[in-house]
Amino acid sequence: MMAELQGIATRLQAVHARAMRTGDLAATQTALMRDIKAAMERQDPQLPALATRVQAMEGEARAAQARNDAARVQTLAREFATIRGRFMRAQQAVMQQPAIAARARAFDDRLHRQMVAADPQTDQLLARSRQLQARLQRRVQ
């Protein structure tokens, strides 16, 4: 099952890449992502500083791992989880804004249509992927 799921994922990634090269889809995505980021920063003005902190934390974590400082790595992991939570809450709030939600749905619809145009089996692949993921999830539980 895992091998089939990986094969489907690889094929869907290639279809996605082809679809993104169609028309102005990539530019539309870039504009949407820019606007989502700006809305998130309005939602939580500290996000740019936190993003900078995350970049610094990466170096700190590598240094702590190099000197086998597990306590520092753990502290950084907790700090990262807190920061990630703030980003996720801001994103969730922004994605509930009607204008942003409508643009995101419109983009997803266009992307889906382009993926189906690039590979008519896209919907079957997506369905099979969901099916395999559900089966794997049940096995894990």
Side-chain angles (χ1 to χ4, degrees), residues 62-115:
R62 280 192 300 276
Q65 286 174 333
R67 65 178 185 273
N68 293 320
D69 186 347
R72 181 65 182 149
V73 170
Q74 198 170 44
T75 298
L76 289 167
R78 282 192 302 272
E79 183 181 356
F80 176 75
T82 300
I83 292 170
R84 190 172 121 233
R86 280 185 69 174
F87 273 88
M88 290 173 69
R89 283 188 298 279
Q91 183 181 35
Q92 202 170 39
V94 165
M95 294 308 292
Q96 291 177 6
Q97 296 174 5
I100 294 287
R103 284 179 63 198
R105 277 191 307 276
F107 172 78
D108 287 343
D109 290 346
R110 279 185 64 203
L111 174 60
H112 180 258
R113 285 192 308 273
Q114 291 299 331
M115 287 178 69

Side-chain angles (χ1 to χ4, degrees), residues 7 18 21 23 33-36 48 54 63-64 68 74 78 84 89 105-106 112 130 133 135-136:
R18 281 196 315 266
R21 290 191 297 268
M33 297 308 289
R34 180 195 61 231
D35 294 347
I36 289 171
V54 167
N68 293 320
Q74 198 170 44
R78 282 192 302 272
R84 190 172 121 233
R89 283 188 298 279
R105 277 191 307 276
H112 180 258
R130 284 189 296 271
Q133 289 173 20
R135 285 176 62 192
L136 287 169

